[in-house]
């Protein structure tokens, strides 16, 4: 496995590889990431991973400085997973002083849901992913469905910019208790974790209700909210949206994303389930 820290070295090493599948990450790898690495192999003979906590996607009051950076463990996990190339730049390498400002945005999709609660977040994600795609020039890129809005926005961005990257969407991995895997789960105390599981319970209860024939989303949303509120978890939003337009849906007639964002203590969690 080759580990590089500069754009020049990354470009040089990438040139030596043929068809390449790429997984951008902020590190703090968990089994969800490892499942993306394994799926990547099915899309290309070579796999590249970036480990970069991207400052431009964090708001001023968010957890950028305390975001976990277990670089040695992350590198060992990449190596064990058979990753060929790891790009681990510094913030100064990715955002060199004097570089012109650039905004990459998909306005119709970035200002709603997460975008309402994390101002500027998706502009930061779009910018870093565009830069990473330009440096690594992957043939395929893999993203988890847990961040379904991110995946939808990046897919739209790739389409609008005519980027020659196949976007691969991978299912959310859950721990045995049902909690969606996330690097931020490591902030949760045992007690927080019990409270966080109300999000999972709410989503699966709504899915069960839908399977019993309830299609009005106000009923499904109330079902999701109930266990969360009982645990005194602060809800940012619970929504039922179209997977392509991300617009609210009133009655389920086709694939619908049930999405939740909530704060358990200081930890902000998101999760979703697609019902159809
Ligand atoms: O999903 C993430 O971890 C990040 O948003 C990404 C795509 C690596 C961009 O920094």
């Amino acid at each position: 496995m080759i580990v590089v820290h500069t754009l020049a070295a990354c470009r040089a090493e990438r040139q030596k590889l043929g068809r390449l599948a790429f997984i951008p990450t902020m590190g703090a790898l968990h089994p969800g990431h490892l499942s993306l690495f394994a799926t990547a192999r099915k899309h290309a003979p070579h796999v590249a991973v970036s480990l970069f906590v991207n400052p431009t996607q964090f708001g001023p009051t968010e957890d950028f400085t305390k975001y976990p950076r277990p670089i040695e463990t992350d590198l060992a996990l990449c190596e064990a997973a058979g990753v060929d190339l790891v790009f681990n730049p510094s913030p100064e390498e990715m955002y060199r002083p004097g570089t012109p400002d650039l905004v990459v945005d998909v306005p119709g999709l970035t200002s709603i849901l997460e975008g309402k609660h994390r101002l500027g977040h998706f502009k930061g994600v779009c910018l870093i992913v565009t830069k990473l795609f330009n440096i690594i020039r992957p043939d395929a890129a893999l993203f988890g469905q847990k961040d379904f809005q991110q995946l939808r926005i990046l897919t739209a961005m790739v389409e609008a910019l005519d980027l020659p990257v196949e976007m691969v969407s991978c299912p959310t991995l859950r721990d045995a208790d049902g909690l969606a895997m996330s690097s931020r789960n490591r902030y949760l105390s045992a007690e927080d974790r019990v409270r966080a599981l109300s999000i999972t319970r709410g989503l699966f209860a709504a899915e069960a209700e839908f399977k019993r024939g309830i299609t009005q989303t106000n009923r499904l949303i109330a079902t999701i909210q109930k266990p969360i509120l009982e645990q005194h978890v602060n809800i940012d939003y619970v929504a039922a949206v179209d997977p392509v337009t991300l617009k609210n849906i009133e009655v389920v007639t086709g694939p619908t994303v049930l999405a939740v964002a909530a704060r358990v203590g200081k930890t902000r969690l998101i999760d979703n389930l697609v019902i159809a």
Side-chain angles (χ1 to χ4, degrees):
M1 181 174 87
I2 306 279
V3 182
V4 290
H5 303 284
T6 64
L7 269 62
C10 190
R11 289 206 158 102
E13 290 302 327
R14 194 276 170 256
Q15 269 203 330
K16 299 178 192 163
L17 303 173
R19 187 177 160 82
L20 186 70
F22 171 52
I23 302 100
T25 83
M26 297 207 300
L29 303 176
H30 52 69
H33 293 112
L34 302 185
S35 79
L36 299 186
F37 300 175
T39 307
R41 280 257 166 266
K42 297 180 188 149
H43 290 265
H46 299 288
V47 175
V49 168
S50 60
L51 302 172
F52 179 64
V53 184
N54 173 35
T56 64
Q57 69 188 74
F58 287 80
T61 60
E62 292 184 357
D63 54 348
F64 173 67
T65 45
K66 87 166 211 228
Y67 198 86
R69 292 162 170 86
I71 186 67
E72 294 308 325
T73 313
D74 285 347
L75 289 174
L77 288 168
C78 289
E79 175 110 61
V83 170
D84 299 274
L85 177 62
V86 173
F87 183 39
N88 173 223
S90 64
E92 296 71 32
E93 180 71 6
M94 288 310 288
Y95 297 107
R96 289 171 309 288
T99 309
D101 278 345
L102 173 69
V103 179
V104 186
D105 197 8
V106 190
L109 300 175
T110 56
S111 54
I112 49 181
L113 300 166
E114 284 298 282
K116 259 195 190 154
H117 295 268
R118 303 189 67 189
L119 296 181
H121 167 67
F122 287 121
K123 287 184 184 148
V125 172
C126 287
L127 179 59
I128 192 66
V129 173
T130 306
K131 285 163 77 73
L132 290 168
F133 281 2
N134 270 328
I135 298 159
I136 294 172
R137 286 178 294 103
D139 297 286
L142 292 89
F143 294 88
Q145 282 161 8
K146 188 173 91 61
D147 296 301
F148 87 96
Q149 187 177 10
Q150 167 172 282
L151 175 58
R152 175 64 201 121
I153 289 167
L154 293 174
T155 304
M157 180 189 89
V158 161
E159 184 188 344
L161 288 173
D162 299 314
L163 298 179
V165 181
E166 177 198 347
M167 296 291 280
V168 181
S169 129
C170 301
T172 302
L173 243 67
R174 295 180 182 279
D175 282 321
D177 58 9
L179 195 67
M181 289 184 187
S182 161
S183 302
R184 288 190 168 94
N185 289 354
R186 55 184 88 191
Y187 299 148
L188 299 171
S189 65
E191 192 192 317
D192 285 343
R193 193 172 171 105
V194 170
R195 296 174 65 216
L197 280 167
S198 60
I199 299 171
T200 320
R201 275 204 308 285
L203 282 169
F204 281 101
E207 184 188 46
E209 196 170 37
F210 169 70
K211 285 185 178 155
R212 288 196 300 273
I214 305 299
T215 55
Q216 296 102 310
T217 58
N218 57 357
R219 297 260 313 260
L220 300 175
I221 287 171
T223 297
I224 298 170
Q225 285 169 334
K226 190 164 175 286
I228 304 177
L229 294 173
E230 279 167 4
Q231 286 293 329
H232 306 289
V233 167
N234 295 309
I235 293 177
D236 275 352
Y237 60 81
V238 175
V241 300
D242 180 278
V244 176
T245 64
L246 306 185
K247 299 257 185 293
N248 288 319
I249 285 178
E250 281 177 15
V251 179
V252 181
T253 54
T256 301
V257 186
L258 301 175
V260 179
R263 281 164 288 122
V264 182
K266 286 192 178 142
T267 309
R268 192 168 182 283
L269 299 173
I270 57 171
D271 196 358
N272 69 83
L273 270 189
V274 181
I275 56 171

